[in-house]
Amino acid sequence: MISQPSRLVAIAAGAALPAVALALGLLWFGSYSPRLQWTATLVILAFLGAGLTMLHGRVIRPLQTISNLLAAMREGDFSLRARSLNPEDDVGLLYLEANALADLLRGQRLGALEATALLRAVMAEIDAAVFTFDDASGTLVFVNRGGERLLDESAERLVGRHASVLGLADCLEGETPRVLDQRGAYANRWELRRSSFRQEGRSHTLVLLTDVHRALQAEEREAWQRLIRVLSHEINNSLAPIRSFAGSLRALVDRTSRGTESDVDLREGLMVIEQRAESLGRFIAAYARLARLPRPVLQSVSVAEWVSRAVSMEARLEVTVMPGQAGDVMADRDQLDQLLINVVRNAADAVEGTGGGVAIRWVLRRDEVEVLVEDEGGGLAGTENLFVPFYTTKPGGSGIGLVLSRRIAEAHGGTLLLENREDVTGCRAIIRLPRAPQFRETAGAFRSGSYQAVGAPRSSP
């Protein structure tokens, strides 16, 4: 097949052929010397060949330049430019327009890349699990870091798998938004939101899962902190003069005592008032620690040494330590000690007087450590108020131990759960902490138990 430039050259040659034929005819049939005839013929043919060659070059070179420029733009390379000629010339104007198109596409590509990078950064950092599924095949095409933590697998292993295999098939059906209530060992709640979009001509579904349980816990914690700060301020303002007046009155009674029975009763009554005021002050000070828990100072902590230190602080009974895998966790050492000491002490309180034992063990995973403290006490009669400040079932208890322990675990991005044991009568405390200094949801929590919809969330006023 003859190319378009060759056709143009052939047309030009055809247009020049009559004139060349006429010139040659006059030359060869005229009365000229053979030398002149051959010389003139060669000159005419040379000029004709040179003209056709120049015409071929002037046609092909601009087309090749534009072709190379368009091919580079198609491949995503916007660095090539055509050398501009006279803008008044048609070819020069074509070059200018091609260069302007390359600049425009380059700017749009940079803007799209920057927007995509920003979107990926936002998707990776938002505190929610994001999944994108291909509607035609039902397979996962994108998952953010929150989704990786939720399913406890990397994106490379998750992408391409079907929604039913991932345990997310129900998220692609039903009304939205709605709340999914997790059942089983990993009790939790997620708000499900779903939307559809098209990309590259294919229909996709975007699934967004937000941890409602942790948000509610944060709001509850803030409410208790505000309440504790108000109570501490008001009660301490009242206790200070009560202690002062009680002490002053008791000193006055001691100086003016007449030894009567009423003076003795008065002295004892004032002493009781002073002691109870001091006790109440210590009680309020203990709860004020909930509102002043410092930010964890992270350092490498050996799990085995951490468990050993906590067990050594319990002198009422011998806690059985089941050896586990050696490893470290990035955490605040002092706060971790306080967390585990409180949990072990709570277990020891549960078995006191029953003859039962307390055992502790731990499991190291890729990015979390799980510590289990199991007792053979009476178990949990109810779990509704376990982590409610001011609530306790122990005589003389303050109700701060478990609340403070859960606060410490959550400050490290972990969890503290209490449940009844299935093998024997007793309770099991489960402490889960991330080994790296970052928040992560419970590994594989969404696929570990059944869940059910509990209704759509109410809209904000």
Side-chain angles (χ1 to χ4, degrees), residues 47-80:
F47 273 99
L48 178 62
L52 293 176
T53 302
M54 291 180 60
L55 177 63
H56 187 271
R58 292 298 298 268
V59 172
I60 290 181
R61 186 174 300 171
L63 293 179
Q64 288 179 339
T65 300
I66 296 299
S67 176
N68 293 335
L69 184 59
L70 293 177
M73 287 190 289
R74 178 174 54 83
E75 296 295 333
D77 183 5
F78 302 101
S79 61
L80 297 182

Side-chain angles (χ1 to χ4, degrees), residues 121-190:
V122 172
M123 296 286 280
E125 297 300 329
I126 61 174
D127 192 12
V130 181
F131 305 92
T132 300
F133 293 93
D134 187 330
D135 290 345
S137 62
T139 57
L140 182 70
V141 296
F142 172 79
V143 57
N144 73 334
R145 192 179 302 167
E148 292 179 313
R149 293 193 296 262
L150 185 62
L151 300 181
D152 194 32
E153 289 192 50
S154 64
E156 290 77 11
R157 299 185 59 183
L158 292 172
V159 171
R161 298 168 68 178
H162 197 271
S164 59
V165 178
L166 301 175
L168 299 173
D170 289 345
C171 296
L172 302 178
E173 302 174 352
E175 63 178 3
T176 182
R178 70 179 188 271
V179 174
L180 301 179
D181 192 8
Q182 180 75 27
R183 302 298 185 186
Y186 302 95
N188 211 336
R189 305 183 79 186
W190 286 274

Side-chain angles (χ1 to χ4, degrees), residues 59-274:
V59 172
I60 290 181
R61 186 174 300 171
L63 293 179
Q64 288 179 339
T65 300
I66 296 299
S67 176
N68 293 335
L69 184 59
L70 293 177
M73 287 190 289
R74 178 174 54 83
E75 296 295 333
D77 183 5
F78 302 101
S79 61
L80 297 182
R81 293 293 182 273
R83 182 181 300 175
S84 299
L85 301 176
N86 184 0
E88 300 298 331
D89 180 68
D90 292 338
V91 175
L93 183 60
L94 178 61
Y95 281 0
L96 291 177
E97 292 297 333
N99 292 337
L101 178 60
D103 291 334
L104 177 62
L105 293 178
R106 181 176 181 273
Q108 292 179 347
R109 180 181 177 85
L110 288 177
L113 291 176
E114 292 173 353
T116 301
L118 175 61
L119 178 60
R120 288 187 176 275
V122 172
M123 296 286 280
E125 297 300 329
I126 61 174
D127 192 12
V130 181
F131 305 92
T132 300
F133 293 93
D134 187 330
D135 290 345
S137 62
T139 57
L140 182 70
V141 296
F142 172 79
V143 57
N144 73 334
R145 192 179 302 167
E148 292 179 313
R149 293 193 296 262
L150 185 62
L151 300 181
D152 194 32
E153 289 192 50
S154 64
E156 290 77 11
R157 299 185 59 183
L158 292 172
V159 171
R161 298 168 68 178
H162 197 271
S164 59
V165 178
L166 301 175
L168 299 173
D170 289 345
C171 296
L172 302 178
E173 302 174 352
E175 63 178 3
T176 182
R178 70 179 188 271
V179 174
L180 301 179
D181 192 8
Q182 180 75 27
R183 302 298 185 186
Y186 302 95
N188 211 336
R189 305 183 79 186
W190 286 274
E191 180 186 6
L192 168 65
R193 291 184 179 272
R194 186 177 64 247
S195 60
S196 299
F197 67 97
R198 298 187 67 85
Q199 184 178 17
E200 299 179 355
R202 299 174 65 91
S203 177
H204 294 75
T205 297
L206 177 70
V207 175
L208 179 67
L209 290 171
T210 307
D211 189 348
V212 180
H213 180 72
R214 192 161 58 88
L216 293 176
Q217 282 187 339
E219 293 184 1
E220 176 187 355
R221 182 169 60 250
E222 292 178 1
W224 281 115
Q225 287 177 343
R226 290 192 295 267
L227 176 61
I228 290 171
R229 284 194 293 266
V230 172
L231 290 178
S232 299
H233 180 267
E234 296 299 328
I235 294 177
N236 283 328
N237 285 345
S238 300
L239 289 178
I242 290 175
R243 287 197 301 267
S244 177
F245 283 130
S248 299
L249 291 175
R250 185 165 58 85
L252 179 61
V253 171
D254 290 339
R255 288 197 303 269
T256 61
S257 176
R258 294 170 295 179
T260 61
E261 184 177 353
S262 60
D263 288 343
V264 174
D265 293 340
L266 181 58
R267 185 183 300 108
E268 292 178 352
L270 292 173
M271 185 179 298
V272 170
I273 293 175
E274 187 176 4

Side-chain angles (χ1 to χ4, degrees), residues 214 221 293-301 306 329-340 367-369 404-416 431-441:
R214 192 161 58 88
R221 182 169 60 250
L293 184 66
R295 184 184 183 89
V297 179
L298 301 178
Q299 58 180 312
S300 180
V301 178
W306 169 39
V329 59
M330 293 297 295
D332 189 306
R333 172 174 172 171
D334 295 335
Q335 291 188 14
L336 280 197
D337 287 348
Q338 185 65 53
L339 161 62
L340 194 53
D367 53 358
E368 81 167 1
V369 58
L404 181 60
S405 297
R406 190 178 72 169
R407 281 288 317 281
I408 294 174
E410 291 175 350
H412 286 77
T415 59
L416 170 61
I431 303 170
R432 294 190 182 93
L433 298 173
R435 299 184 66 179
Q438 63 182 16
F439 175 81
R440 72 181 296 273
E441 291 88 347

Side-chain angles (χ1 to χ4, degrees), residues 20 38 131 204 234 267-268 278 284 358 365 391 410:
V20 171
W38 283 107
F131 305 92
H204 294 75
E234 296 299 328
R267 185 183 300 108
E268 292 178 352
E278 293 177 356
I284 294 299
V358 176
R365 299 190 177 92
Y391 177 83
E410 291 175 350

